[in-house]
Amino acid sequence: MTDKQPQLNGAYYGPAIPPVEAPRPRRQRNCCCCLFGFCWKLLLAVIILLVLGFLVFWAVLQPRAFRFQVTDATLTQFNYTSNDHTLRYNLVLNFTARNPNKKIDFYYESVESHVSYGGVRFASAEVLTLHDSFRQRTKSTDRMSGVFTGHYKTVLDHDQVKKRLEEDERKRVFPFDVKLQFKIKFMIGDFNSSSTKAKANCYLEIPLSSDGKTPMATEFASTNCHVHF
Ligand SMILES: *[C@@H]1O[C@H](CO)[C@@H](O)[C@H](O)[C@H]1NC(C)=O
Ligand SMILES: *[C@@H]1O[C@H](CO)[C@@H](O)[C@H](O)[C@H]1NC(C)=O
Ligand SMILES: *[C@@H]1O[C@H](CO)[C@@H](O)[C@H](O)[C@H]1NC(C)=O
């Protein structure tokens, strides 16, 4: 009957465990133990110091990512012709980047941007090149812009995309995904970090600019982008 009793308090009622063999005494054992204990304590102390250092660093600097926003968007052409499978576009995006930090400056080395419609990446532009890279001071905002113009050979005739395109053309408002790739440095006084990469994603709904005949559907609303490192 004892076998079928419920196990109480996690006690073990199964077959007896064979006794653990006592470690054989060794001559060097004490010394080894001593060294091991010392190393362990040293390691622990180093880890605690590192964690503390990191916490203090974090508390003093309070690092925060930059904020990125699309303040204005001007779409004067977005025209797909199915006979030659060509998308003609003319889009200007105005961005602002803000450094919300109290202690850390950013150094923007380069910014690249890519625009997609319906999952098709049709345009890329350099928003900032090494040539016009700049240092952004704390609590300040700077403007950048991207000009996307040209044509792109693609097939937007798959049922889903075509339907969507027709609807967007009717509404004269087009949804775009904009992805930006940053190369930036962090700067504190005279110290600067090595280059790191950051990304921003923006989802934009951009009305086609008025051609004089048809009034513009809506105004473009300033949109925040999602920034991550
Ligand atoms: C699109 O492009 C074609 C050929 O360039 C032109 O005939 C047509 O009027 C354009 N449509 C719009 C809405 O701009
Ligand atoms: C937007 O960017 C374009 C291209 O750089 C520029 O000409 C225009 O003045 C900018 N508009 C605003 C409102 O900053
Ligand atoms: C970063 O620091 C190095 C030396 O510390 C300096 O030579 C370099 O010009 C700095 N970079 C920028 C972008 O200021």
Side-chain angles (χ1 to χ4, degrees), residues 3 7 46 71 89-90 96-97 103 112 114-115 123 166 218 221 223 227:
D3 275 352
Q7 297 193 358
V46 167
T71 51
Y89 56 89
N90 192 339
T96 57
K103 300 273 189 335
E112 251 177 52
H114 307 280
V115 186
E166 277 166 4
T218 42
T223 309
V227 177

Side-chain angles (χ1 to χ4, degrees), residues 71-74 92-95 143-147:
T71 51
D72 204 5
T74 315
V92 177
L93 297 178
N94 297 88
F95 305 105
R143 290 173 192 282
M144 297 177 197
S145 58
V147 178

Side-chain angles (χ1 to χ4, degrees), residues 145-164:
S145 58
V147 178
F148 309 85
T149 178
H151 57 87
Y152 183 73
K153 288 256 179 205
T154 180
V155 181
L156 292 181
D157 289 320
H158 325 291
D159 286 347
Q160 259 187 330
V161 181
K162 194 177 176 182
K163 234 173 158 177
R164 191 167 152 188

Side-chain angles (χ1 to χ4, degrees), residues 191-205:
F191 169 81
N192 55 27
S193 75
S194 58
S195 293
T196 40
K197 285 180 184 160
K199 285 181 181 170
N201 293 335
C202 329
Y203 174 77
L204 307 174
E205 297 208 332

Side-chain angles (χ1 to χ4, degrees), residues 107 109 135 185 187 190-193:
Y107 188 84
E109 282 189 316
R135 179 173 187 159
K185 283 182 180 177
M187 302 179 91
D190 288 335
F191 169 81
N192 55 27
S193 75

